[in-house]
């Protein structure tokens, strides 16, 4: 798995501090299983977070705490690999997502949400994530986000304004980033999406669809 797109530093730090929602944590934890670089960053963030909490000096949060923390991470010890290799589940993805996904993706209940686009739901309650299945050459309607959205590619690939995303790659998008992913491989692009707020489509047709299908 050749990974080029990663969760951003703030997301990794929030994950390491236990502050990320269950659905977003599922994506980060799965990416960490496939990405030694982010795994090492998250491990160091946990160590530094613990050191900050137990430190005698109060931290000035008015300045860029994140910048200083990651400066310390960058200046720290070399990457540490966990002693046990992550277990890979279905679709070639590590746990937890690899354990949640079925062996046969066609066994999921997919329903259409647009031309060449189908959606399925995985998990329950606040742990639920959505799977989007985009036929080759099809595009997801242009949209931005009302909150934090993370997408990870399960199979196939897509290209948007940010770049090309392959299995294991994560798109970690701020609310002000609008994009339009286009499925660009010979097979369906299946990706998993976690949000902490509904997507905000910029056209009236997708908005109408959104109100009907609740994505
Ligand atoms: Zn990574």
């Amino acid at each position: 798995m050749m990974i080029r797109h990663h969760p951003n530093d703030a997301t990794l730090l929030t994950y390491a501090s236990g502050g990320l929602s269950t659905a977003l944590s599922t994506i980060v934890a799965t990416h960490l299983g496939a990405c030694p670089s982010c795994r090492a960053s998250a491990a160091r963030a946990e160590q530094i977070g613990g050191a900050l909490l137990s430190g005698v000096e109060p931290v000035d949060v008015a300045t860029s705490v994140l910048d200083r923390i990651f400066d310390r991470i960058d200046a720290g010890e070399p990457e540490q690999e966990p002693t046990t290799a992550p277990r890979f589940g279905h679709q070639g993805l590590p746990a937890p997502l690899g354990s949640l996904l079925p062996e046969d993706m066609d066994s999921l209940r997919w329903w259409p949400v647009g031309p060449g686009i189908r959606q399925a739901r995985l998990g329950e309650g606040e742990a639920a994530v959505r799977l989007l299945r985009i036929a080759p050459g099809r595009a997801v309607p242009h949209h931005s986000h009302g909150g934090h959205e993370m997408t990870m590619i399960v199979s196939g690939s897509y290209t948007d304004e940010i770049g090309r995303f392959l299995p294991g790659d994560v798109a970690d998008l701020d609310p002000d980033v609008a994009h339009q992913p286009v499925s660009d491989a010979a097979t369906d692009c299946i990706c998993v999406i976690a949000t902490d707020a509904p997507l905000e489509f910029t056209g009236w047709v997708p908005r109408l669809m959104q109100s009907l299908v609740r994505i």
Side-chain angles (χ1 to χ4, degrees):
M1 203 171 271
M2 180 74 187
I3 294 185
R4 293 194 199 147
H5 299 277
H6 309 267
N8 63 42
D9 287 349
T11 298
L12 284 180
L13 195 69
T14 309
Y15 171 82
S17 69
L20 219 52
S21 73
T22 308
L24 292 170
S25 294
T26 296
I27 289 190
V28 173
T30 305
H31 176 85
L32 293 187
C35 181
S37 166
C38 285
R39 202 153 64 229
S41 294
R44 288 199 298 275
E46 279 176 18
Q47 291 168 0
I48 289 172
L52 284 173
L53 286 174
S54 60
V56 291
E57 296 275 332
V59 177
D60 177 10
V61 293
T63 54
S64 177
V65 173
L66 278 182
D67 284 349
R68 285 191 290 135
I69 288 174
F70 278 97
D71 282 348
R72 289 174 64 179
I73 290 174
D74 290 341
E77 65 268 31
E79 292 182 1
Q80 295 173 337
E81 281 293 305
T83 50
T84 55
R87 289 184 303 112
F88 282 73
H90 293 151
Q91 312 304 320
L93 287 179
L97 197 62
S99 311
L100 291 172
L101 291 170
E103 190 169 3
D104 177 10
M105 295 298 275
D106 290 330
S107 67
L108 290 171
R109 195 166 68 89
W110 296 93
W111 68 93
V113 292
I117 303 174
R118 288 177 287 166
Q119 180 173 267
R121 189 181 169 90
L122 203 63
E124 295 295 329
E126 70 166 29
V129 294
R130 290 180 299 117
L131 292 163
L132 212 56
R133 185 168 184 163
I134 314 162
R138 293 293 185 170
V140 176
H142 206 255
H143 64 278
S144 59
H145 314 96
H148 195 171
E149 176 192 289
M150 257 191 294
T151 301
M152 188 172 64
I153 308 298
V154 173
S155 60
S157 63
Y158 77 58
T159 297
D160 66 4
E161 292 85 338
I162 299 162
R164 187 166 190 223
F165 289 75
L166 297 161
D169 279 335
V170 166
D172 188 0
L173 300 178
D174 292 326
D176 57 340
V177 176
H179 70 146
Q180 183 170 40
V182 179
S183 177
D184 66 354
T187 56
D188 288 352
C189 176
I190 298 178
C191 49
V192 57
I193 302 171
T195 51
D196 56 13
L199 305 190
E200 291 177 352
F201 289 98
T202 47
W204 69 268
V205 172
R207 279 208 304 275
L208 180 62
M209 273 168 34
Q210 183 180 29
S211 68
L212 295 174
V213 300
R214 293 177 178 278
I215 59 174

